[in-house]
Amino acid sequence: MAQRECALAKPRCDLLEPSEQSTMKMNFCRIMRLLALRYGDHEAIVNIERNRRYTYAQYHLLSNRIADVLRTTLKVRAGERFMLILENDNLSLMMFPSTFKQEGTVVMTNLRDALDEHARQIDLVKPRIVFLETRLLDSYYEILRHRGCEVVVMDPPTAEQAALPGVHSFWPLVEAACDLDNEVNLDTDEHICMLRFTGGTTGKGKCAMYSIDNWMACRDAAFINTDLGFSSTTRLLHVSPLSHGTLMKFIPTVYAGGTNITLNHLDMESWRRTVEHERVTHSFLVPTVLYRLLELQRSDPKDFSSLTTLIYGAAPMSPDKLGELVACFGQIFTQGYAATESPMLITTLNKAAHQPDSATTLQHLSSAGRPTPGVEVFIADAQGNPLPNGETGEIRIRCKAIIKGYYENPEATVAEFEDGAWKSGDLGYIDADGYLYIVDRLKDMIISGGFNVYAVEVEAALAAHPSVMMAAVVGIPHAEWGEAIHAEVVLRKGETVSAEALIAHTRARLGGYKAPKSLVFVDELPTSAVGKVLRRQVREKYWQGALRKIG
């Protein structure tokens, strides 16, 4: 990379106020430089589709340049926001440490979300800059420019695209930037380093605010749970979006000196080839994908001898399928329970527990594991009073990973956080051995194939169709996905429409993963005295006889 002369900011030498002296600050250029000195030529990042490889020394200089682009060229200041609508390999360049080497706040999005949802998110956080996949520029340009956003496209644009006002090309900016360390010192507790969207009881995504300490807690939890085995020999393959759950594995891999490997799309043959060719040791997959992987490995075996740890989450493992998976891959499975509001491994079910050879281990397989040491997990009644072991109530969590609240949403912050604890909205209990069991959900969130989908959002999309009078959307049991999105629909009098047409209508509005996978027409839905649909009654008939009332 070409270098240009750049000046470093002079360090402060004046006396600090006592309150400022007591704050914890970090300079991530220095932290990354030390990692680069320690791990040097060891691979830090491998992007499979774009065939890019960076050592720790190269990754340090590259992330310095990206931070300089944000600070010097694009002039992003403290308190300002920039948004990422990117695939995994480009996200890997814009992650920690790049975003921790400058003062702005990064906004993570799900590339799979529909354009309308991204527009709503932009309206909320008002980013000055949006980093965008080049293939999306034509469809996103007017919306972004109308909202005053400058756009940075990650791959070379066409001549016509490059001539558009407010459009920048990523790599020319990076090549012209400074790769020297800077003097950015960020408060690890107060600085909001990231915003990321979750869901809410209204169905619209809330925007979670993260401090640096939140993500350092994520790092520490990975090392405390030694069964995960993070080290300099780790080669972790990311295939689910780095903007979401797999981000929690990215950070400890960097600190351990391991290699983060990215795939942009969940294609099982690509995943299998990459594991074999890159000698992958770790990956994160949801149970539905593990079941598909089992069938592929049985019919066309690959060399998976390098795999030591397969982490899964978002749904429990089927005990029947687990025995088959262990027989095929070995005892390499571990479960993690985490949340957007607490981005760390709150609980883990370790590898030894994944052996259905007794009644005790079978029972534990239906749990979410034991809390990470140092994490306070307790069960509370409706008034917030702790309940004894074995009694079911709301799961509440206290730890350093608990977010700073919801951006521009003080009402939700007050409602969901109390006395330093996050009120998860999940019902569960802790057994005599310290295992946490999630048995039902207070919030109407559906977890299907590892993605969170909120019932109200899907119902609103269905109700937007002129033939629909009302709808109830629930998660129903699914052997592979944990839960599948199912809708019961009441049509307007005299109207007719096919289930397939309604599903297509919803897919067009929300994206494929939020669309119902099944839909039935009913004459009426159960309602309360004031006419509110009783979604839980709809849901219960599909879960009768299920051991666990959650996917």
Side-chain angles (χ1 to χ4, degrees):
M1 295 179 181
Q3 291 195 19
R4 67 170 171 81
E5 193 173 328
C6 59
L8 295 177
K10 292 182 180 179
R12 288 182 56 181
C13 58
D14 55 318
L15 293 176
L16 303 178
E17 294 295 326
S19 60
E20 192 172 350
Q21 287 178 324
S22 64
T23 61
M24 176 63 182
K25 293 188 176 182
M26 285 189 181
N27 180 303
F28 282 88
C29 284
R30 294 177 192 151
I31 288 173
M32 191 63 190
R33 182 174 69 234
L34 293 172
L35 289 172
L37 290 173
R38 181 168 185 167
Y39 300 115
D41 293 335
H42 193 79
E43 283 185 331
I45 301 292
V46 175
N47 302 141
I48 298 300
E49 283 94 343
R50 286 180 168 90
N51 193 26
R52 298 189 300 222
R53 293 174 185 269
Y54 299 96
T55 66
Y56 271 82
Q58 292 168 336
Y59 189 42
H60 173 48
L61 296 180
L62 175 60
S63 53
N64 275 0
R65 288 177 179 273
I66 294 170
D68 188 60
V69 167
L70 286 162
R71 301 181 71 230
T72 304
T73 310
L74 301 176
K75 302 187 184 306
V76 176
R77 301 293 180 244
E80 294 184 328
R81 292 156 297 284
F82 59 97
M83 178 177 279
L84 309 181
I85 308 177
L86 300 176
E87 295 169 331
N88 272 354
D89 48 6
N90 285 327
L91 278 172
S92 73
L93 309 185
M94 298 297 299
M95 286 290 181
F96 157 85
S98 297
T99 56
F100 285 9
K101 292 180 176 181
Q102 55 78 54
E103 301 93 332
T105 298
V106 62
V107 183
M108 295 290 182
T109 68
N110 185 349
L111 184 69
R112 294 178 172 90
D113 277 337
L115 174 57
D116 286 350
E117 176 62 11
H118 284 148
R120 189 192 67 80
Q121 294 168 355
I122 291 165
D123 288 339
L124 175 66
V125 303
K126 298 177 174 57
R128 278 214 308 108
I129 314 292
V130 175
F131 290 79
L132 187 71
E133 292 297 334
T134 306
R135 72 176 191 277
L136 299 177
L137 180 60
D138 291 345
S139 57
Y140 276 66
Y141 179 75
E142 291 298 333
I143 287 176
L144 294 176
R145 291 300 290 164
H146 178 71
R147 288 161 171 78
C149 302
E150 293 186 65
V151 186
V152 179
V153 291
M154 304 302 288
D155 292 323
T158 65
E160 293 79 7
Q161 289 174 327
L164 292 170
V167 173
H168 309 269
S169 184
F170 178 76
W171 286 106
L173 294 179
V174 170
E175 292 291 340
C178 177
D179 66 7
L180 298 180
D181 293 352
N182 62 42
E183 288 297 326
V184 173
N185 300 288
L186 301 175
D187 188 303
T188 61
D189 179 58
E190 294 298 326
H191 173 65
I192 301 302
C193 63
M194 183 185 296
L195 300 177
R196 194 165 63 139
F197 289 90
T198 179
T201 55
T202 65
K204 295 298 183 183
K206 298 189 293 293
C207 188
M209 301 187 294
Y210 298 89
S211 70
I212 292 169
D213 278 342
N214 293 156
W215 291 109
M216 295 305 99
C218 161
R219 172 204 61 188
D220 295 344
F223 291 128
I224 290 169
N225 289 289
T226 56
D227 198 49
L228 296 173
F230 283 98
S231 74
S232 60
T233 63
T234 296
R235 294 181 65 82
L236 198 150
L237 177 56
H238 302 270
V239 68
S240 59
L242 261 175
S243 54
H244 287 63
T246 193
L247 169 58
M248 293 193 300
K249 290 80 180 174
F250 184 94
I251 292 174
T253 301
V254 171
Y255 271 95
T259 305
N260 281 295
I261 305 168
T262 62
L263 282 171
N264 292 323
H265 307 287
L266 179 55
D267 176 86
M268 291 315 301
E269 286 301 339
S270 294
W271 188 93
R272 292 188 340 126
R273 286 194 302 269
T274 302
V275 169
E276 187 174 49
H277 183 260
E278 295 289 339
R279 305 302 294 162
V280 168
T281 62
H282 292 59
S283 195
F284 171 77
L285 298 171
V286 296
T288 172
V289 175
L290 288 173
Y291 303 155
R292 295 174 194 166
L293 182 62
L294 174 64
E295 297 307 313
L296 286 170
Q297 187 66 1
R298 282 171 166 172
S299 61
D300 180 23
K302 301 289 185 185
D303 179 6
F304 289 167
S305 59
S306 61
L307 278 174
T308 62
T309 307
L310 279 177
I311 306 165
Y312 70 95
M317 184 77 75
S318 162
D320 292 335
K321 286 283 176 61
L322 174 64
E324 300 175 49
L325 284 161
V326 170
C328 185
F329 297 101
Q331 206 160 342
I332 63 173
F333 300 95
T334 182
Q335 181 188 171
Y337 169 53
T340 303
E341 288 82 356
S342 182
M344 63 171 285
L345 292 170
I346 299 164
T347 65
T348 59
L349 189 67
N350 65 19
K351 295 171 185 175
H354 287 78
Q355 185 61 56
D357 56 359
S358 70
T360 300
T361 53
L362 277 173
Q363 174 69 17
H364 290 160
L365 281 175
S366 64
S367 78
R370 285 168 161 157
T372 292
V375 175
E376 183 182 349
V377 179
F378 63 102
I379 309 301
D381 63 17
Q383 289 72 44
N385 301 310
L387 295 172
N389 287 350
E391 290 196 22
T392 297
E394 184 181 32
I395 300 168
R396 298 195 179 189
I397 299 158
R398 280 198 189 111
C399 62
K400 288 190 71 173
I402 298 298
I403 63 170
K404 306 294 284 185
Y406 298 116
Y407 181 75
E408 296 292 320
N409 196 341
E411 295 84 4
T413 300
V414 169
E416 295 201 21
F417 299 88
E418 183 177 300
D419 197 23
W422 175 53
K423 297 153 66 175
S424 73
D426 290 332
L427 290 171
Y429 65 93
I430 297 173
D431 73 9
D433 297 317
Y435 287 85
L436 174 68
Y437 294 80
I438 307 170
V439 297
D440 207 343
R441 187 175 292 120
L442 289 175
K443 302 173 184 177
D444 291 310
M445 181 176 72
I446 302 163
I447 302 178
S448 183
F451 289 98
N452 295 349
V453 180
Y454 283 84
V456 172
E457 185 178 19
V458 185
E459 289 167 358
L462 286 167
H465 192 282
S467 298
V468 174
M469 183 172 72
M470 61 193 307
V473 172
V474 297
I476 63 174
H478 193 282
E480 290 187 331
W481 302 333
E483 292 179 271
I485 303 166
H486 175 74
E488 292 194 355
V489 174
V490 179
L491 294 178
R492 296 183 184 276
K493 188 175 181 179
E495 294 286 342
T496 59
V497 64
S498 69
E500 293 78 9
L502 284 181
I503 291 171
H505 161 82
T506 310
R507 184 181 296 111
R509 295 179 68 90
L510 300 179
Y513 74 97
K514 293 183 179 180
K517 301 303 179 288
S518 57
L519 184 150
V520 297
F521 297 104
V522 295
D523 293 329
E524 60 181 10
L525 292 168
T527 58
S528 68
V530 296
K532 182 178 179 180
V533 173
L534 299 174
R535 195 181 297 113
R536 186 172 296 276
Q537 289 187 17
V538 175
R539 187 172 181 269
E540 282 174 353
K541 63 185 177 184
Y542 295 101
W543 288 86
Q544 288 177 4
L547 175 65
R548 181 166 162 143
K549 302 291 187 184
I550 183 172

mmCIF file of all heavy atoms in Angstrom, residues 87 148 194 197 210 237 317 328 359 510-511:
data_model
loop_
_atom_site.group_PDB
_atom_site.id
_atom_site.type_symbol
_atom_site.label_atom_id
_atom_site.label_comp_id
_atom_site.label_asym_id
_atom_site.label_seq_id
_atom_site.Cartn_x
_atom_site.Cartn_y
_atom_site.Cartn_z
ATOM 1 N N GLU A 87 -21.456 -7.520 3.233
ATOM 2 C CA GLU A 87 -21.232 -8.957 3.356
ATOM 3 C C GLU A 87 -20.113 -9.224 4.366
ATOM 4 O O GLU A 87 -19.376 -8.317 4.769
ATOM 5 C CB GLU A 87 -20.844 -9.533 1.991
ATOM 6 C CG GLU A 87 -21.940 -9.437 0.947
ATOM 7 C CD GLU A 87 -21.453 -9.766 -0.449
ATOM 8 O OE1 GLU A 87 -20.259 -9.539 -0.730
ATOM 9 O OE2 GLU A 87 -22.268 -10.245 -1.255
ATOM 10 N N GLY A 148 -29.358 12.523 2.996
ATOM 11 C CA GLY A 148 -28.127 13.259 3.251
ATOM 12 C C GLY A 148 -26.903 12.408 3.498
ATOM 13 O O GLY A 148 -25.894 12.906 4.015
ATOM 14 N N MET A 194 -20.787 1.204 19.125
ATOM 15 C CA MET A 194 -21.583 0.475 18.145
ATOM 16 C C MET A 194 -23.062 0.596 18.449
ATOM 17 O O MET A 194 -23.469 0.636 19.620
ATOM 18 C CB MET A 194 -21.191 -1.015 18.148
ATOM 19 C CG MET A 194 -21.903 -1.879 17.123
ATOM 20 S SD MET A 194 -21.500 -3.656 17.295
ATOM 21 C CE MET A 194 -19.743 -3.647 16.940
ATOM 22 N N PHE A 197 -29.247 -3.374 15.663
ATOM 23 C CA PHE A 197 -30.699 -3.469 15.773
ATOM 24 C C PHE A 197 -31.146 -4.836 16.267
ATOM 25 O O PHE A 197 -30.641 -5.867 15.855
ATOM 26 C CB PHE A 197 -31.353 -3.170 14.424
ATOM 27 C CG PHE A 197 -31.238 -1.724 14.043
ATOM 28 C CD1 PHE A 197 -30.149 -1.278 13.311
ATOM 29 C CD2 PHE A 197 -32.199 -0.819 14.445
ATOM 30 C CE1 PHE A 197 -30.028 0.058 12.979
ATOM 31 C CE2 PHE A 197 -32.087 0.519 14.122
ATOM 32 C CZ PHE A 197 -30.996 0.965 13.385
ATOM 33 N N TYR A 210 -23.850 -0.031 22.488
ATOM 34 C CA TYR A 210 -22.771 -0.818 23.079
ATOM 35 C C TYR A 210 -21.576 0.059 23.442
ATOM 36 O O TYR A 210 -21.146 0.911 22.663
ATOM 37 C CB TYR A 210 -22.284 -1.878 22.093
ATOM 38 C CG TYR A 210 -23.330 -2.885 21.700
ATOM 39 C CD1 TYR A 210 -24.154 -2.652 20.612
ATOM 40 C CD2 TYR A 210 -23.500 -4.066 22.415
ATOM 41 C CE1 TYR A 210 -25.121 -3.569 20.238
ATOM 42 C CE2 TYR A 210 -24.462 -4.986 22.048
ATOM 43 C CZ TYR A 210 -25.275 -4.730 20.961
ATOM 44 O OH TYR A 210 -26.233 -5.632 20.596
ATOM 45 N N LEU A 237 -14.324 -20.246 11.095
ATOM 46 C CA LEU A 237 -15.048 -19.971 9.863
ATOM 47 C C LEU A 237 -16.395 -19.329 10.183
ATOM 48 O O LEU A 237 -17.235 -19.930 10.850
ATOM 49 C CB LEU A 237 -15.245 -21.256 9.068
ATOM 50 C CG LEU A 237 -16.047 -21.158 7.765
ATOM 51 C CD1 LEU A 237 -15.449 -20.125 6.818
ATOM 52 C CD2 LEU A 237 -16.149 -22.518 7.096
ATOM 53 N N MET A 317 -30.464 -28.473 20.643
ATOM 54 C CA MET A 317 -30.147 -29.605 19.779
ATOM 55 C C MET A 317 -31.130 -30.745 20.055
ATOM 56 O O MET A 317 -31.443 -31.044 21.212
ATOM 57 C CB MET A 317 -28.720 -30.087 20.066
ATOM 58 C CG MET A 317 -28.241 -31.200 19.168
ATOM 59 S SD MET A 317 -27.769 -30.596 17.546
ATOM 60 C CE MET A 317 -26.200 -29.826 17.942
ATOM 61 N N CYS A 328 -20.814 -39.042 13.973
ATOM 62 C CA CYS A 328 -20.233 -38.647 12.696
ATOM 63 C C CYS A 328 -19.016 -37.726 12.864
ATOM 64 O O CYS A 328 -17.998 -37.916 12.200
ATOM 65 C CB CYS A 328 -21.289 -37.954 11.844
ATOM 66 S SG CYS A 328 -20.765 -37.521 10.182
ATOM 67 N N ALA A 359 -29.789 -40.751 31.410
ATOM 68 C CA ALA A 359 -30.959 -39.900 31.635
ATOM 69 C C ALA A 359 -30.541 -38.496 32.043
ATOM 70 O O ALA A 359 -31.170 -37.506 31.651
ATOM 71 C CB ALA A 359 -31.844 -40.524 32.708
ATOM 72 N N LEU A 510 -40.733 -7.803 3.625
ATOM 73 C CA LEU A 510 -39.862 -8.001 4.779
ATOM 74 C C LEU A 510 -38.572 -8.755 4.477
ATOM 75 O O LEU A 510 -37.645 -8.733 5.284
ATOM 76 C CB LEU A 510 -40.616 -8.761 5.887
ATOM 77 C CG LEU A 510 -41.871 -8.106 6.441
ATOM 78 C CD1 LEU A 510 -42.505 -9.003 7.493
ATOM 79 C CD2 LEU A 510 -41.562 -6.731 7.026
ATOM 80 N N GLY A 511 -38.503 -9.444 3.360
ATOM 81 C CA GLY A 511 -37.364 -10.321 3.094
ATOM 82 C C GLY A 511 -37.747 -11.765 3.345
ATOM 83 O O GLY A 511 -38.693 -12.069 4.087
#
